[in-house]
């Protein structure tokens, strides 16, 4: 059915005004790929392969050029992060981190889920959601596998714990400028377009309270949507304690692993601007291999390579969306369509910008979404005599609402790699998350931001 819709869009429907032929093909590929991502009639890596083939056969791009768009720093980061997660599990540090969290939360499932969201969020608000999701994934998997080895018996529990990691990271990424590239991109647009300077502290003043307010809602939505099979994880926690005690105190290899991991974190925070986060991730994985802390066979068997391919193809398609002008055409057409309904000013414009950004960010990286939409929405703000700071914040924050697809954000891709989640799970809970986040953001825009002088 998805292929039939794609064929109709390319060969039967007339070319819309303002859209190039290349843009129509890219849009068609995006619609078909998104449909296949959600319905999953074939393994997702198959969709990734079809995206690659489609760019060569339909867009007439050179295959070597297409191959180059597949390997970016973000893809290296995903690959390196998954390798590091395997290395952490190999050293059984995941179990010690899980026990550390449980000491504060107790053994109730709801409190553990909230504790994981808080821990993930607090870290992700400063060092980037990609990093934290990769670090926390083994913690979630440890609690799930200790509850039951049968995935069918912990299906909902796994969803709650793993989404607590992914969504805890996602809602936190807007808290500070260093929480995501999208924030820095918008700060650059404000400066270039209007000469407005938003520094680190001012950004936190506007956005950090919203991150904190969302945390309890994340846990409530996850518990309401999935209803975990176990209300209390005491048996799993007892096993966890027994395994950690059997390991004894931290040994030299543990200290070396911890030191390596903090060096990698330092690299991501302090050096990634120069060499890229992906370079540091794969360098870190190489250090674990060189130090004999993990074997290549462990990485080869533990990393979900299909997810790496999937993310690479999604980024490649996002590049085509931008280069072909398809993303800009979608943005302008969407907003023009909503103008008769009052979406050209005030709350209507805020809601339209948020809905548009949410839709776009679920099909490409959030940084690319802000890069594409930023100039369009800021120009609209000027035309509507709206505050460019408010419209800019709405765009940057809404780009974090990539809750609905596996490829919307690396944090979602990383937890999907665990094998416990289905693509339909993202859709099932993602729309609730999107509604909650949108309503809270509009509340902040209308009540809180005016109080602090926006």
């Amino acid at each position: 059915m998805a292929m039939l819709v794609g064929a109709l869009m390319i060969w039967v429907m007339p070319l819309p005004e303002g859209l190039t032929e290349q843009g129509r093909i890219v849009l068609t590929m995006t619609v078909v790929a998104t449909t296949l991502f959600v319905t999953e009639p074939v393994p997702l890596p198959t969709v990734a392969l079809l995206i690659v083939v489609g760019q060569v056969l339909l867009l007439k791009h050179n295959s070597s050029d297409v191959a180059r768009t597949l390997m970016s720093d973000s893809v290296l980061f995903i690959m390196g992060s998954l390798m590091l997660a395997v290395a952490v599990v190999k050293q059984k540090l995941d179990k010690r981190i899980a026990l550390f969290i449980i000491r504060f939360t107790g053994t109730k499932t709801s409190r553990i889920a909230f504790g994981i969201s808080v821990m993930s969020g607090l870290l992700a608000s400063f060092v980037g959601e990609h990093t934290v999701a990769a670090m926390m994934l083994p913690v979630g998997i440890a609690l799930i596998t200790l509850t039951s080895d049968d995935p069918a018996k912990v299906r909902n529990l796994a969803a709650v714990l793993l989404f607590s990691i992914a969504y805890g990271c996602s809602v936190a990424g807007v808290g500070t400028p260093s929480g995501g590239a999208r924030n820095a991109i918008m700060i650059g647009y404000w400066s270039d377009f209007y000469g407005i300077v938003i520094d680190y502290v001012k950004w936190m003043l506007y956005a950090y309270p919203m991150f904190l307010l969302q945390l309890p809602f994340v846990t409530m939505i996850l518990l309401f949507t999935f209803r975990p099979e176990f209300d209390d994880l005491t048996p799993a926690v007892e096993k966890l304690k027994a395994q950690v005690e059997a390991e004894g105190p931290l040994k030299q290899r543990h200290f070396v692993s911890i030191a390596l991991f903090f060096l990698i974190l330092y690299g991501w925070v302090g050096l990634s601007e120069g060499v890229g986060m992906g370079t540091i991730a794969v360098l870190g994985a190489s250090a674990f291999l060189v130090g004999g802390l993990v074997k290549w066979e462990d990485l080869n068997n533990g990393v979900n390579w299909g997810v790496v391919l999937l993310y690479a193809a999604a980024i490649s398609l996002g590049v085509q969306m931008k280069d072909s002008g398809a993303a800009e055409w979608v943005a302008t057409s969407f907003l023009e369509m909503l103008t008769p309904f009052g979406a050209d000013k005030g709350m209507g414009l805020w809601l339209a910008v948020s809905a548009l950004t949410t839709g776009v960010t679920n099909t490409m990286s959030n940084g690319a979404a802000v890069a594409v939409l930023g100039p369009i929405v800021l120009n609209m703000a000027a035309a509507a005599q709206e505050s460019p700071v408010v419209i800019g914040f709405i765009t940057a924050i809404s780009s974090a609402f990539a809750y609905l697809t596996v490829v919307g954000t690396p944090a979602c891709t990383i937890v999907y790699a665990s094998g416990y989640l289905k693509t339909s799970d993202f859709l099932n809970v993602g729309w609730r998350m999107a509604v909650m986040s949108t309503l809270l953001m509009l509340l902040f825009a209308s009540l809180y931001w005016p109080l602090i002088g926006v």
Side-chain angles (χ1 to χ4, degrees):
M1 180 61 75
M3 296 296 182
L4 178 61
V5 171
L8 288 174
M9 288 180 67
I10 291 180
W11 289 299
V12 177
M13 291 177 61
L15 182 66
E17 185 181 349
L19 183 65
T20 64
E21 184 58 37
Q22 291 285 92
R24 173 162 68 172
I25 294 172
V26 173
L27 264 185
T28 302
M29 289 174 61
T30 302
V31 169
V32 172
T34 304
T35 305
L36 294 176
F37 284 151
V38 174
T39 56
E40 210 172 348
V42 295
L44 292 191
T46 310
V47 184
L49 296 173
L50 291 175
I51 289 173
V52 175
V53 174
Q55 290 185 56
V56 176
L57 298 183
L58 299 177
L59 293 173
K60 310 297 183 189
H61 288 331
N62 183 282
S63 59
S64 297
D65 293 337
V66 174
R68 273 192 280 275
T69 64
L70 292 173
M71 189 51 76
S72 65
D73 186 68
S74 297
V75 178
L76 277 180
F77 179 82
I78 292 285
M79 186 171 65
S81 298
L82 293 175
M83 289 179 176
L84 290 172
V86 174
V88 169
V89 172
K90 185 69 178 175
Q91 296 302 320
K92 300 182 180 176
L93 289 174
D94 53 322
K95 294 184 171 66
R96 294 179 189 271
I97 298 172
L99 200 55
F100 174 78
I101 295 174
I102 290 167
R103 282 184 182 138
F104 291 93
T105 63
T107 58
K108 290 286 186 185
T109 303
S110 57
R111 293 183 179 181
I112 291 175
F114 182 65
I116 288 176
S117 290
V118 171
M119 173 72 86
S120 302
L122 290 177
L123 292 172
S125 63
F126 292 100
V127 300
E129 60 191 77
H130 322 56
T131 310
V132 179
M135 189 177 76
M136 293 295 291
L137 177 62
V139 175
I141 292 178
L143 288 170
I144 296 163
T145 53
L146 286 173
T147 303
S148 175
D149 290 331
D150 184 355
K153 293 181 179 176
V154 287
R155 171 88 179 80
N156 291 346
L157 174 68
V160 169
L161 296 183
L162 294 174
F163 277 120
S164 294
I165 296 171
Y167 291 164
C169 291
S170 293
V171 300
V174 301
T176 69
S178 60
R182 58 181 177 269
N183 305 339
I185 291 170
M186 185 51 71
I187 288 174
Y189 281 148
W190 278 323
S191 176
D192 294 341
F193 282 46
Y194 301 102
I196 297 172
V197 177
I198 301 290
D199 61 25
Y200 203 98
V201 174
K202 197 177 285 184
W203 181 289
M204 285 186 66
L205 184 63
Y206 294 144
Y208 212 82
M210 184 180 162
F211 145 57
L212 295 175
L213 190 60
Q214 286 185 93
L215 283 172
F217 288 100
V218 170
T219 302
M220 284 190 283
I221 288 173
L222 291 176
L223 292 173
F224 176 78
T225 304
F226 293 107
R227 302 185 186 280
E229 298 85 351
F230 301 87
D231 294 329
D232 191 294
L233 300 185
T234 297
V237 173
E238 291 302 323
K239 290 181 191 175
L240 185 66
K241 286 180 180 176
Q243 291 185 3
V244 172
E245 287 173 1
E247 277 279 304
L250 290 171
K251 300 179 177 60
Q252 184 182 10
R253 59 186 171 84
H254 293 127
F255 287 114
V256 173
S257 299
I258 292 170
L260 271 178
F261 206 86
F262 274 102
L263 278 175
I264 295 164
L265 282 178
Y266 169 74
W268 278 332
V269 175
L271 306 175
S272 59
E273 190 172 341
V275 299
M277 294 180 69
T279 307
I280 292 168
V282 293
L283 178 62
S286 302
F288 273 91
L289 283 165
V290 171
L293 298 169
V294 66
K295 296 178 181 176
W296 172 251
E297 290 75 15
D298 297 323
L299 299 184
N300 194 33
N301 295 328
V303 173
N304 189 334
W305 299 104
V307 168
V308 177
L309 178 61
L310 181 66
Y311 196 72
I315 286 183
S316 178
L317 190 57
V319 170
Q320 299 300 338
M321 279 280 288
K322 182 182 176 185
D323 291 349
S324 67
E328 186 174 350
W329 180 84
V330 169
T332 51
S333 301
F334 179 77
L335 294 174
E336 284 174 5
M337 183 179 69
L338 293 180
T339 296
F341 302 98
D344 56 339
K345 59 185 177 182
M347 182 70 81
L349 178 62
W350 299 354
L351 187 58
V353 168
S354 177
L356 172 66
T357 310
T358 301
V360 172
T361 196
N362 276 280
T363 59
M364 63 170 66
S365 76
N366 44 40
V370 172
V372 170
L373 297 177
I376 299 169
V377 298
L378 289 180
N379 284 327
M380 291 186 64
Q385 296 186 327
E386 290 283 335
S387 165
V389 176
V390 170
I391 296 297
F393 264 118
I394 287 174
T395 307
I397 291 175
S398 298
S399 72
F401 302 166
Y403 307 125
L404 289 91
T405 60
V406 174
V407 297
T409 167
C412 289
T413 309
I414 287 170
V415 298
Y416 177 76
S418 67
Y420 282 97
L421 302 175
K422 297 179 180 177
T423 53
S424 55
D425 293 333
F426 289 81
L427 205 59
N428 188 23
V429 68
W431 72 268
R432 293 179 169 93
M433 285 290 301
V435 169
M436 178 274 293
S437 294
T438 303
L439 291 177
L440 283 181
M441 184 189 62
L442 294 177
L443 200 62
F444 264 67
S446 56
L447 298 178
Y448 174 64
W449 291 343
L451 289 178
I452 56 175
V454 177

